[in-house]
Coordinates of all heavy atoms in Angstrom, one line a residue:
F38 N 100.4 116.2 114.5 CA 100.9 115.9 113.1 C 102.3 115.2 113.3 O 103.1 115.6 114.1 CB 101.0 117.2 112.3 CG 99.7 117.7 112.0 CD1 99.1 118.7 112.8 CD2 98.9 117.2 111.0 CE1 97.8 119.2 112.4 CE2 97.7 117.7 110.6 CZ 97.2 118.7 111.3
F39 N 102.6 114.3 112.2 CA 103.9 113.9 112.2 C 104.2 113.8 110.7 O 103.4 113.5 109.9 CB 104.1 112.5 112.9 CG 103.4 111.3 112.4 CD1 103.8 110.5 111.4 CD2 102.1 111.1 113.0 CE1 103.1 109.5 110.9 CE2 101.3 110.0 112.6 CZ 101.8 109.3 111.6
P40 N 105.6 113.9 110.4 CA 106.0 114.0 109.0 C 106.3 112.5 108.4 O 106.6 111.7 109.1 CB 107.2 114.9 109.0 CG 107.8 114.6 110.3 CD 106.7 114.3 111.3
V41 N 106.0 112.4 107.1 CA 106.4 111.1 106.5 C 107.2 111.8 105.2 O 106.7 112.5 104.4 CB 105.2 110.3 105.8 CG1 105.7 109.3 105.0 CG2 104.3 109.8 107.0
A42 N 108.5 111.6 105.3 CA 109.4 112.1 104.3 C 109.6 111.1 103.1 O 109.5 110.0 103.3 CB 110.6 112.6 104.9
A43 N 109.9 111.5 101.9 CA 110.3 110.7 100.9 C 111.5 111.2 100.2 O 111.7 112.3 100.0 CB 109.1 110.7 99.9
A44 N 112.4 110.2 99.9 CA 113.5 110.6 99.1 C 113.7 109.9 97.8 O 113.1 108.8 97.6 CB 114.7 110.2 100.0
A45 N 114.4 110.4 96.8 CA 114.4 109.8 95.6 C 115.8 109.2 95.4 O 116.9 109.6 95.9 CB 114.3 110.9 94.4
I46 N 115.8 107.9 95.0 CA 116.9 107.1 94.8 C 117.1 106.7 93.4 O 116.0 106.2 92.8 CB 117.0 105.8 95.7 CG1 117.1 106.3 97.1 CG2 118.3 105.1 95.4 CD1 117.0 105.2 98.1
A47 N 118.1 106.8 92.6 CA 118.4 106.3 91.3 C 117.4 107.2 90.3 O 117.4 108.4 90.4 CB 118.0 104.9 91.1
Q48 N 116.6 106.4 89.4 CA 115.9 107.2 88.4 C 114.4 107.5 88.8 O 113.5 107.4 88.1 CB 115.8 106.3 87.2 CG 117.2 105.7 86.9 CD 116.9 104.5 86.0 OE1 116.0 104.5 85.1 NE2 117.9 103.5 86.1
V49 N 114.1 107.9 90.1 CA 112.8 108.0 90.6 C 112.6 109.3 91.0 O 113.6 110.2 91.4 CB 112.4 106.9 91.6 CG1 112.6 105.6 91.1 CG2 113.2 107.3 92.9
Q50 N 111.3 109.8 91.2 CA 110.9 111.1 91.6 C 109.8 110.9 92.6 O 108.9 110.2 92.4 CB 110.5 112.0 90.5 CG 111.6 112.3 89.4 CD 111.0 113.1 88.2 OE1 109.7 113.1 88.1 NE2 111.8 113.6 87.5
Q51 N 110.0 111.6 93.7 CA 109.0 111.5 94.9 C 108.6 113.0 95.4 O 109.5 113.9 95.3 CB 109.5 110.7 96.0 CG 109.6 109.2 95.6 CD 110.1 108.4 96.8 OE1 111.2 107.9 96.7 NE2 109.5 108.4 97.9
E52 N 107.5 113.0 96.0 CA 107.2 114.3 96.9 C 108.2 114.3 97.9 O 108.6 113.5 98.5 CB 105.8 114.1 97.3 CG 104.8 113.7 96.4 CD 103.9 112.6 97.1 OE1 103.5 112.7 98.2 OE2 103.5 111.7 96.3
P53 N 108.6 115.7 98.2 CA 109.6 115.7 99.3 C 109.2 115.4 100.7 O 109.9 114.9 101.5 CB 110.0 117.3 99.2 CG 108.8 117.9 98.5 CD 108.3 116.8 97.6
S54 N 107.9 115.7 101.1 CA 107.4 115.3 102.3 C 105.9 115.3 102.3 O 105.1 115.9 101.4 CB 107.8 116.2 103.5 OG 107.4 117.5 103.2
A55 N 105.3 114.7 103.3 CA 103.8 114.6 103.5 C 103.6 114.5 105.2 O 104.3 114.0 105.8 CB 103.2 113.6 102.8
D56 N 102.5 115.1 105.5 CA 102.0 115.0 107.0 C 100.7 114.4 107.0 O 99.9 114.5 106.2 CB 102.0 116.5 107.4 CG 103.3 117.3 107.5 OD1 104.3 116.4 107.7 OD2 103.3 118.4 107.4
T57 N 100.5 113.7 108.1 CA 99.3 113.2 108.4 C 99.1 113.1 110.0 O 100.0 113.4 110.7 CB 99.1 111.8 108.0 OG1 97.7 111.4 108.1 CG2 100.0 110.8 108.6
T58 N 97.9 112.8 110.5 CA 97.8 112.6 112.0 C 97.7 111.1 112.1 O 97.5 110.3 111.2 CB 96.3 113.2 112.4 OG1 95.3 112.7 111.6 CG2 96.5 114.8 112.3
E59 N 98.0 110.6 113.4 CA 98.0 109.2 113.7 C 96.7 108.6 113.4 O 95.7 109.2 113.8 CB 98.3 109.1 115.3 CG 98.6 107.7 115.6 CD 99.3 107.5 117.0 OE1 99.1 108.5 117.8 OE2 100.0 106.5 117.1
G60 N 96.7 107.5 112.6 CA 95.5 106.8 112.3 C 94.8 107.3 110.9 O 94.0 106.6 110.4
T61 N 95.3 108.3 110.4 CA 94.8 108.8 109.2 C 95.6 108.4 108.0 O 96.9 108.7 108.0 CB 94.7 110.3 109.2 OG1 93.9 110.7 110.3 CG2 94.0 110.8 107.9
G62 N 95.1 107.6 107.1 CA 95.9 107.0 106.0 C 96.6 108.0 105.1 O 96.1 109.2 105.0
I63 N 97.7 107.7 104.6 CA 98.4 108.5 103.8 C 99.1 107.8 102.6 O 99.5 106.6 102.8 CB 99.5 109.3 104.6 CG1 100.2 110.5 103.8 CG2 100.5 108.4 105.2 CD1 101.1 111.4 104.6
S64 N 99.2 108.5 101.4 CA 99.9 107.8 100.3 C 101.1 108.7 99.9 O 101.1 109.9 100.0 CB 98.9 107.7 99.1 OG 98.5 108.9 98.7
V65 N 102.2 107.9 99.4 CA 103.4 108.5 98.9 C 103.6 108.0 97.5 O 103.6 106.7 97.4 CB 104.6 108.2 99.8 CG1 105.8 108.8 99.3 CG2 104.3 108.5 101.2
T66 N 103.7 108.9 96.5 CA 103.7 108.5 95.1 C 105.2 108.6 94.6 O 106.0 109.5 95.0 CB 102.7 109.2 94.3 OG1 101.4 109.1 94.8 CG2 102.8 108.8 92.8
C67 N 105.6 107.6 93.8 CA 106.9 107.6 93.2 C 106.6 107.4 91.8 O 106.0 106.5 91.3 CB 107.7 106.4 93.9 SG 109.2 106.1 93.0
S68 N 107.3 108.3 91.0 CA 107.4 108.1 89.5 C 108.6 107.8 88.9 O 109.7 108.2 89.4 CB 106.8 109.4 88.8 OG 107.5 110.6 89.1
H69 N 108.6 106.9 87.8 CA 109.8 106.5 87.3 C 109.6 106.3 85.7 O 109.3 105.1 85.4 CB 110.3 105.2 88.0 CG 109.2 104.5 88.5 ND1 108.3 103.6 87.8 CD2 108.8 104.3 89.8 CE1 107.5 103.0 88.7 NE2 107.7 103.5 90.0
P70 N 109.5 107.3 85.1 CA 109.1 107.3 83.6 C 110.0 106.4 82.7 O 109.6 105.9 81.6 CB 109.0 108.7 83.2 CG 109.9 109.5 84.1 CD 109.8 108.7 85.4
N71 N 111.2 106.2 83.1 CA 112.1 105.5 82.2 C 112.4 104.0 82.8 O 113.5 103.5 82.4 CB 113.5 106.3 82.1 CG 113.3 107.7 81.5 OD1 112.6 107.7 80.5 ND2 113.9 108.7 82.2
I72 N 111.4 103.4 83.5 CA 111.7 102.2 84.0 C 111.8 101.2 82.9 O 111.1 101.2 81.8 CB 110.4 101.8 85.0 CG1 110.8 100.5 85.7 CG2 109.1 101.7 84.3 CD1 109.8 100.2 86.9
Q73 N 112.7 100.1 83.2 CA 112.8 99.0 82.2 C 112.0 98.0 82.6 O 111.6 97.8 83.7 CB 114.3 98.7 82.2 CG 115.4 99.9 81.9 CD 115.2 100.4 80.5 OE1 115.2 99.7 79.6 NE2 115.1 101.8 80.5
S74 N 111.8 97.0 81.5 CA 110.8 96.0 81.7 C 111.3 95.0 82.8 O 110.4 94.4 83.6 CB 110.5 95.2 80.5 OG 111.8 94.6 79.9
H75 N 112.5 94.8 83.0 CA 113.0 93.9 83.9 C 113.3 94.5 85.3 O 113.5 93.7 86.2 CB 114.5 93.4 83.5 CG 115.5 94.4 83.4 ND1 115.6 95.3 82.4 CD2 116.5 94.7 84.4 CE1 116.6 96.1 82.6 NE2 117.2 95.8 83.8
Q76 N 113.1 95.8 85.5 CA 113.3 96.3 86.8 C 112.1 96.1 87.8 O 111.0 96.1 87.5 CB 113.6 97.9 86.7 CG 114.8 98.1 86.0 CD 115.3 99.5 86.0 OE1 114.5 100.3 85.4 NE2 116.4 99.9 86.5
I77 N 112.6 96.1 89.1 CA 111.6 95.8 90.3 C 111.5 97.2 90.9 O 112.5 97.8 91.1 CB 112.0 94.7 91.1 CG1 112.0 93.5 90.3 CG2 111.1 94.6 92.4 CD1 112.7 92.2 91.0
I78 N 110.4 97.5 91.5 CA 110.2 98.6 92.4 C 110.3 98.3 93.9 O 109.6 97.4 94.3 CB 108.8 99.3 92.1 CG1 108.7 99.7 90.6 CG2 108.5 100.4 93.0 CD1 107.2 99.8 90.1
Y79 N 111.2 99.0 94.5 CA 111.5 98.7 95.9 C 111.1 99.9 96.8 O 111.4 100.9 96.3 CB 112.9 98.3 96.2 CG 113.4 97.1 95.4 CD1 114.2 97.1 94.3 CD2 113.0 95.8 95.9 CE1 114.6 96.1 93.7 CE2 113.5 94.7 95.2 CZ 114.3 94.8 94.2 OH 114.7 93.7 93.5
W80 N 110.6 99.6 98.0 CA 110.4 100.7 98.9 C 111.1 100.2 100.2 O 111.2 99.2 100.7 CB 108.9 100.8 99.3 CG 108.1 101.6 98.3 CD1 107.5 101.2 97.1 CD2 108.1 103.0 98.4 NE1 107.0 102.3 96.6 CE2 107.2 103.4 97.2 CE3 108.4 104.1 99.2 CZ2 106.9 104.7 96.9 CZ3 108.0 105.4 98.9 CH2 107.3 105.6 97.8
Y81 N 111.7 101.3 100.8 CA 112.5 101.1 102.0 C 111.9 102.2 103.0 O 111.4 103.2 102.7 CB 114.0 101.4 101.8 CG 114.6 100.4 101.0 CD1 114.6 100.6 99.5 CD2 115.3 99.3 101.4 CE1 115.2 99.6 98.7 CE2 115.7 98.4 100.6 CZ 115.8 98.4 99.2 OH 116.3 97.6 98.3
R82 N 112.1 101.9 104.4 CA 111.7 102.8 105.4 C 112.9 103.1 106.3 O 113.7 102.2 106.7 CB 110.5 102.3 106.2 CG 110.2 103.3 107.4 CD 109.0 102.8 108.1 NE 109.2 101.5 108.8 CZ 108.2 101.2 109.6 NH1 107.1 101.7 109.8 NH2 108.6 100.0 110.3
Q83 N 113.3 104.3 106.5 CA 114.4 104.6 107.5 C 113.8 105.5 108.7 O 113.5 106.6 108.5 CB 115.5 105.4 106.8 CG 116.7 105.6 107.7 CD 117.8 106.3 106.9 OE1 117.8 106.5 105.7 NE2 119.0 106.3 107.6
L84 N 113.8 104.8 109.8 CA 113.3 105.4 111.0 C 114.5 106.4 111.5 O 115.6 106.1 111.3 CB 113.0 104.4 112.1 CG 111.7 103.5 111.7 CD1 111.7 102.3 112.6 CD2 110.5 104.3 111.7
P85 N 114.2 107.4 112.4 CA 115.2 108.1 112.9 C 116.3 107.5 113.6 O 116.0 106.6 114.3 CB 114.3 109.1 113.8 CG 113.0 109.1 113.4 CD 112.8 107.6 112.9
R86 N 117.5 107.9 113.3 CA 118.8 107.2 113.9 C 119.0 105.8 113.6 O 119.5 105.1 114.5 CB 118.8 107.5 115.5 CG 118.8 109.0 115.8 CD 118.7 109.3 117.2 NE 117.5 108.9 117.9 CZ 116.3 109.5 117.7 NH1 116.1 110.6 117.1 NH2 115.2 109.1 118.3
Q87 N 118.3 105.3 112.5 CA 118.5 103.9 112.2 C 118.8 103.8 110.7 O 118.6 104.7 109.8 CB 117.2 103.1 112.4 CG 116.9 103.1 113.9 CD 115.6 102.1 114.1 OE1 115.3 101.2 113.3 NE2 115.0 102.3 115.2
G88 N 119.3 102.7 110.2 CA 119.4 102.5 108.9 C 118.2 102.0 108.1 O 117.2 101.7 108.7
P89 N 118.1 102.2 106.8 CA 117.1 101.8 106.0 C 116.7 100.3 106.1 O 117.6 99.4 106.2 CB 117.4 102.2 104.6 CG 118.8 102.3 104.5 CD 119.3 102.6 105.9
T90 N 115.4 100.0 106.2 CA 115.1 98.7 106.1 C 114.0 98.4 104.9 O 113.3 99.3 104.5 CB 114.2 98.2 107.5 OG1 113.1 99.2 107.6 CG2 115.2 98.3 108.6
F91 N 114.0 97.2 104.3 CA 113.2 96.9 103.1 C 111.8 96.7 103.6 O 111.5 96.1 104.6 CB 113.7 95.6 102.6 CG 112.9 95.1 101.4 CD1 112.9 95.6 100.2 CD2 112.2 94.0 101.7 CE1 112.1 95.2 99.2 CE2 111.3 93.4 100.6 CZ 111.4 94.0 99.3
L92 N 110.9 97.3 102.8 CA 109.4 97.2 103.1 C 108.8 96.2 102.1 O 108.0 95.3 102.5 CB 108.8 98.4 103.0 CG 108.8 99.6 104.1 CD1 108.1 100.8 103.8 CD2 108.3 98.9 105.5
V93 N 108.9 96.4 100.8 CA 108.2 95.7 99.7 C 108.9 95.9 98.4 O 109.5 97.0 98.1 CB 106.7 96.1 99.9 CG1 106.6 97.6 99.3 CG2 105.8 95.1 99.0
G94 N 108.6 95.0 97.6 CA 109.0 95.0 96.3 C 108.0 94.5 95.3 O 107.3 93.6 95.7
A95 N 107.8 95.1 94.1 CA 106.7 94.7 93.1 C 107.2 95.0 91.7 O 107.9 95.8 91.5 CB 105.4 95.4 93.5
I96 N 106.6 94.3 90.8 CA 106.7 94.5 89.3 C 105.5 95.2 88.8 O 105.7 96.2 88.2 CB 107.0 93.1 88.7 CG1 108.3 92.7 89.1 CG2 107.0 93.3 87.1 CD1 108.7 91.2 88.6
Q97 N 104.4 94.7 89.2 CA 103.1 95.3 88.9 C 102.0 95.0 89.7 O 102.1 94.1 90.6 CB 102.8 95.0 87.3 CG 102.5 93.4 87.2 CD 102.3 93.2 85.7 OE1 102.7 93.9 84.8 NE2 101.8 92.0 85.4
G98 N 100.8 95.5 89.5 CA 99.6 95.2 90.4 C 99.6 95.8 91.8 O 100.2 96.9 91.9
S99 N 99.2 95.1 92.7 CA 99.0 95.6 94.0 C 99.5 94.6 95.1 O 99.2 93.5 94.8 CB 97.5 95.9 94.3 OG 97.3 96.4 95.6
Q100 N 100.0 95.1 96.1 CA 100.7 94.1 97.1 C 100.4 94.6 98.5 O 100.6 95.8 98.7 CB 102.1 94.0 96.7 CG 102.8 92.8 97.7 CD 104.1 92.4 97.2 OE1 104.5 92.6 96.1 NE2 105.0 92.0 98.1
E101 N 99.9 93.8 99.4 CA 99.6 94.3 100.7 C 100.9 94.3 101.5 O 101.9 93.6 101.4 CB 98.6 93.3 101.4 CG 97.4 93.1 100.8 CD 96.5 94.5 100.8 OE1 96.5 95.1 101.9 OE2 96.0 94.9 99.7
L102 N 101.0 95.3 102.5 CA 102.0 95.4 103.5 C 101.5 94.9 104.9 O 100.4 95.4 105.2 CB 102.5 96.8 103.6 CG 103.5 97.3 102.6 CD1 103.0 97.5 101.3 CD2 104.1 98.5 103.1
R103 N 102.3 94.2 105.6 CA 101.7 93.9 107.0 C 102.3 94.9 107.9 O 101.6 95.4 108.9 CB 102.3 92.5 107.4 CG 101.7 91.4 106.7 CD 102.2 90.1 107.2 NE 101.5 89.0 106.6 CZ 101.8 87.8 107.0 NH1 102.8 87.5 107.8 NH2 101.2 86.7 106.3
S104 N 103.5 95.3 107.8 CA 104.0 96.3 108.8 C 104.9 97.4 108.2 O 106.0 96.9 107.6 CB 104.8 95.6 109.9 OG 105.5 96.5 110.8
P105 N 104.6 98.6 108.0 CA 103.4 99.1 108.5 C 102.2 98.7 107.6 O 102.3 98.4 106.5 CB 103.5 100.7 108.4 CG 104.5 100.7 107.2 CD 105.4 99.6 107.3
A106 N 100.9 98.6 108.2 CA 99.8 98.2 107.5 C 99.5 99.1 106.3 O 99.6 100.4 106.4 CB 98.5 98.3 108.4
G107 N 99.4 98.5 105.1 CA 99.1 99.3 104.0 C 99.2 98.5 102.6 O 99.0 97.3 102.6
R108 N 99.5 99.2 101.6 CA 99.5 98.6 100.3 C 100.4 99.4 99.2 O 100.5 100.5 99.4 CB 98.0 98.6 99.7 CG 97.8 98.0 98.5 CD 96.3 98.0 98.0 NE 95.9 99.3 97.8 CZ 95.1 99.9 98.5 NH1 94.5 99.4 99.6 NH2 94.7 101.2 98.2
L109 N 101.0 98.6 98.4 CA 101.8 99.1 97.4 C 101.0 98.9 96.1 O 100.7 97.8 95.7 CB 103.2 98.6 97.2 CG 104.0 98.9 96.0 CD1 104.4 100.5 96.0 CD2 105.3 98.1 95.9
S110 N 100.7 99.9 95.3 CA 100.1 99.7 94.0 C 100.8 100.3 92.9 O 101.4 101.4 93.0 CB 98.7 100.6 94.1 OG 97.8 100.0 95.1
V111 N 101.1 99.6 91.8 CA 101.9 99.9 90.7 C 100.9 100.2 89.6 O 100.1 99.4 89.3 CB 102.8 98.8 90.4 CG1 103.7 99.1 89.2 CG2 103.8 98.5 91.5
A112 N 101.1 101.3 88.9 CA 100.1 101.7 87.8 C 100.5 100.7 86.7 O 101.5 100.0 86.5 CB 100.7 103.1 87.3
A113 N 99.4 100.6 85.7 CA 99.4 99.6 84.7 C 100.6 99.8 83.8 O 101.2 98.8 83.3 CB 98.1 99.6 84.0
D114 N 100.9 101.0 83.5 CA 102.1 101.3 82.6 C 103.4 101.3 83.3 O 104.4 101.4 82.8 CB 102.0 102.7 81.9 CG 102.0 103.8 82.9 OD1 102.3 103.6 84.1 OD2 101.8 105.0 82.4
R115 N 103.4 100.9 84.8 CA 104.6 100.8 85.6 C 105.5 102.1 85.6 O 106.6 102.0 86.1 CB 105.5 99.7 85.0 CG 104.9 98.3 85.3 CD 105.8 97.1 84.8 NE 107.1 97.3 84.7 CZ 108.1 97.1 85.6 NH1 107.6 96.6 86.7 NH2 109.3 97.3 85.4
R116 N 105.0 103.2 85.2 CA 105.7 104.4 85.3 C 105.6 105.1 86.7 O 106.2 106.2 86.9 CB 105.3 105.4 84.1 CG 105.8 104.8 82.8 CD 105.4 105.7 81.7 NE 105.8 105.2 80.5 CZ 106.0 105.7 79.3 NH1 105.9 107.0 79.2 NH2 106.4 105.1 78.2
S117 N 104.7 104.7 87.4 CA 104.6 105.2 88.8 C 104.0 104.2 89.8 O 103.5 103.1 89.2 CB 103.6 106.4 88.7 OG 102.3 106.1 88.5
N118 N 104.2 104.4 91.0 CA 103.5 103.5 92.1 C 103.1 104.3 93.3 O 103.7 105.5 93.4 CB 104.5 102.4 92.4 CG 105.7 102.8 93.1 OD1 105.7 102.8 94.4 ND2 106.7 103.0 92.4
T119 N 102.2 103.9 94.1 CA 101.9 104.6 95.2 C 102.0 103.7 96.6 O 101.5 102.5 96.4 CB 100.5 105.1 95.1 OG1 100.4 105.9 94.1 CG2 100.0 105.8 96.4
L120 N 102.6 104.1 97.5 CA 102.8 103.4 98.8 C 101.6 104.0 99.7 O 101.7 105.2 99.9 CB 104.1 103.5 99.5 CG 104.3 102.9 100.8 CD1 104.2 101.3 100.6 CD2 105.7 103.3 101.4
W121 N 100.8 103.1 100.2 CA 99.6 103.7 101.0 C 99.9 103.1 102.4 O 99.9 101.9 102.6 CB 98.2 103.2 100.4 CG 97.0 103.3 101.3 CD1 96.4 102.2 101.9 CD2 96.3 104.5 101.7 NE1 95.4 102.8 102.7 CE2 95.4 104.2 102.5 CE3 96.6 105.8 101.4 CZ2 94.5 105.0 103.1 CZ3 95.7 106.8 101.9 CH2 94.8 106.3 102.8
L122 N 99.8 104.0 103.3 CA 99.9 103.6 104.7 C 98.6 103.8 105.2 O 98.0 104.8 105.4 CB 101.0 104.4 105.5 CG 102.4 104.5 105.0 CD1 103.3 105.4 105.8 CD2 102.9 103.1 104.8
A123 N 97.9 102.7 105.6 CA 96.5 102.6 106.0 C 96.2 103.4 107.4 O 95.3 104.1 107.5 CB 95.9 101.2 105.9
R124 N 96.9 102.9 108.3 CA 96.7 103.5 109.7 C 98.0 103.8 110.4 O 98.4 103.1 111.4 CB 95.9 102.4 110.5 CG 94.5 102.1 110.0 CD 93.9 101.0 110.7 NE 94.6 99.7 110.5 CZ 94.6 98.9 109.5 NH1 93.8 99.3 108.5 NH2 95.3 97.8 109.5
P125 N 98.6 104.8 109.8 CA 100.0 105.1 110.5 C 99.9 105.5 111.9 O 99.0 106.2 112.3 CB 100.6 106.2 109.6 CG 99.3 106.8 108.9 CD 98.2 105.7 108.9
R126 N 100.9 105.1 112.6 CA 101.1 105.5 114.0 C 102.3 106.4 114.1 O 103.1 106.5 113.2 CB 101.4 104.2 114.9 CG 100.2 103.3 114.9 CD 100.5 102.1 115.6 NE 101.4 101.3 114.7 CZ 101.9 100.1 115.0 NH1 101.8 99.6 116.2 NH2 102.7 99.5 114.1
L127 N 102.4 107.1 115.2 CA 103.6 107.9 115.4 C 104.9 107.2 115.1 O 105.9 107.8 114.6 CB 103.6 108.6 116.9 CG 104.6 109.7 117.2 CD1 104.4 110.9 116.2 CD2 104.4 110.2 118.6
S128 N 105.0 106.0 115.6 CA 106.2 105.2 115.3 C 106.5 105.0 113.8 O 107.6 104.5 113.5 CB 106.1 104.0 116.1 OG 104.9 103.2 115.6
D129 N 105.6 105.3 112.9 CA 105.7 105.1 111.4 C 106.4 106.4 110.9 O 106.6 106.3 109.7 CB 104.4 104.7 110.7 CG 104.0 103.3 111.2 OD1 104.8 102.5 111.3 OD2 102.8 103.2 111.4
A130 N 106.5 107.4 111.6 CA 107.1 108.6 111.0 C 108.5 108.3 110.6 O 109.3 107.9 111.4 CB 107.2 109.7 112.2
A131 N 108.8 108.5 109.3 CA 110.2 108.0 108.8 C 110.4 108.5 107.5 O 109.6 109.2 106.8 CB 110.2 106.4 108.8
L132 N 111.5 108.2 106.9 CA 111.9 108.5 105.6 C 111.5 107.3 104.8 O 112.1 106.2 104.9 CB 113.4 108.9 105.3 CG 113.9 109.1 104.0 CD1 113.4 110.4 103.5 CD2 115.4 109.2 104.0
Y133 N 110.6 107.4 103.8 CA 110.2 106.3 102.9 C 110.8 106.5 101.4 O 110.6 107.6 100.9 CB 108.7 106.3 102.8 CG 108.0 105.8 104.1 CD1 107.8 106.7 105.1 CD2 107.7 104.5 104.3 CE1 107.4 106.3 106.3 CE2 107.2 104.0 105.4 CZ 107.1 105.0 106.5 OH 106.5 104.7 107.7
S134 N 111.6 105.7 101.0 CA 112.3 105.8 99.7 C 111.9 104.6 98.7 O 111.8 103.5 99.1 CB 113.8 105.6 100.0 OG 114.3 106.5 100.9
C135 N 111.8 105.2 97.5 CA 111.5 104.3 96.4 C 112.8 104.1 95.6 O 113.4 105.1 95.4 CB 110.3 104.8 95.7 SG 109.9 104.1 94.0
A136 N 113.0 102.8 95.1 CA 114.2 102.7 94.2 C 113.8 101.6 93.2 O 112.9 100.8 93.4 CB 115.3 102.2 95.1
L137 N 114.6 101.7 92.1 CA 114.4 100.7 91.0 C 115.6 99.7 91.1 O 116.7 100.3 91.3 CB 114.2 101.3 89.7 CG 113.2 102.2 89.4 CD1 113.2 102.9 88.0 CD2 111.8 101.5 89.7
G138 N 115.4 98.5 90.8 CA 116.5 97.4 90.8 C 116.2 96.4 89.9 O 115.2 96.2 89.4
D139 N 117.4 95.6 89.6 CA 117.1 94.5 88.7 C 116.8 93.2 89.4 O 117.0 93.1 90.5 CB 118.6 94.3 87.9 CG 118.8 95.5 87.1 OD1 117.9 96.2 86.6 OD2 120.1 95.8 86.8

């Protein structure tokens, strides 16, 4: 097993952590009930002993991720979104953070 941790930034709420096995898909949900119409949802990944790196940003709908393989899905009301890691590897164990921005 390896952990996938999540941290809350700004006006968002996330699960504190989640575990999976290598190759078994996992999702991390972020809720932001007070999102404004102009705000974009961003996801970042921070590997151990490294700074955060940008993964994906979206306003609504679904968007594919290349690395790590997966998908970001934004709920129709934009109050929550889910980052799905399709086939995580041990090297994907990291802190995944959701943030809102203009």
Side-chain angles (χ1 to χ4, degrees):
F38 291 96
F39 63 90
V41 174
I46 298 175
Q48 313 161 33
V49 301
Q50 298 172 342
Q51 290 179 246
E52 308 135 41
S54 65
D56 294 328
T57 189
T58 56
E59 192 166 25
T61 301
I63 189 170
S64 62
V65 183
T66 300
C67 173
S68 62
H69 27 79
N71 298 318
I72 190 170
Q73 303 298 309
S74 61
H75 65 279
Q76 289 183 303
I77 300 171
I78 300 156
Y79 296 104
W80 278 91
Y81 296 87
R82 175 171 74 169
Q83 186 170 3
L84 296 168
R86 297 175 297 284
Q87 295 184 25
T90 58
F91 173 75
L92 284 179
V93 65
I96 295 175
Q97 61 185 16
S99 182
Q100 186 167 336
E101 298 296 318
L102 274 75
R103 289 186 177 179
S104 179
R108 182 178 65 252
L109 172 64
S110 299
V111 179
D114 65 4
R115 291 183 19 95
R116 292 182 182 202
S117 67
N118 71 86
T119 301
L120 180 68
W121 166 253
L122 304 179
R124 295 172 300 281
R126 295 172 289 177
L127 187 58
S128 60
D129 293 320
L132 176 68
Y133 291 83
S134 302
C135 170
L137 299 180
D139 296 329

